[in-house]
Amino acid sequence: DLGEASYSASASKEDDGESTVITLTIKNESSNVAFATRVKAIRDNAAQGEDSRILPTFYSDNYITLMPGESKTITIEYDNEYLYGGTPQISLEGFNTAEYLVSIN
């Protein structure tokens, strides 16, 4: 009976040409618990039916639960060759949340 939760998020990146480190901050903006939120680094140029995840990717944390008003900062790292010419985005989705796409500044 968990009510729906919602996020706000911001992300910035540091790119040295070979690899990228993204710093993502997520905040639960609702009065409900955001349960089992999955963080996914994806690329925007995946063909239909193709997996859009950037693999391999290393996360400092994942599948997080945020209490109302709580925020969390996560670092995400991957080699740029696995973007295959695409642009990175972050997808957030949890047990009681709709998918939320985060643009990276």
Side-chain angles (χ1 to χ4, degrees):
D1 291 337
L2 280 176
E4 188 171 335
S6 59
Y7 311 108
S8 66
S10 63
S12 61
K13 69 178 178 176
E14 292 183 31
D15 184 341
D16 69 7
E18 291 185 23
S19 64
T20 296
V21 175
I22 296 170
T23 302
L24 170 70
T25 301
I26 309 164
K27 183 176 182 183
N28 179 354
E29 295 288 354
S30 71
S31 59
N32 296 311
V33 173
F35 185 70
T37 300
R38 179 184 184 189
V39 179
K40 240 183 348 183
I42 59 174
R43 56 190 173 88
D44 67 350
N45 66 343
Q48 186 174 359
E50 182 181 17
D51 190 351
S52 64
R53 292 177 296 165
I54 302 168
L55 296 171
T57 298
F58 301 95
Y59 301 86
S60 63
D61 204 350
N62 212 335
Y63 289 93
I64 61 172
T65 296
L66 297 171
M67 300 306 287
E70 183 179 14
S71 63
K72 175 92 176 175
T73 299
I74 296 172
T75 57
I76 302 161
E77 185 173 0
Y78 57 84
D79 288 340
N80 292 341
E81 69 181 288
Y82 301 113
L83 281 174
Y84 302 109
T87 301
Q89 291 183 313
I90 303 299
S91 169
L92 305 174
E93 193 169 17
F95 178 80
N96 60 326
T97 59
E99 183 178 29
Y100 183 85
L101 291 177
V102 182
S103 297
I104 302 165
N105 300 323

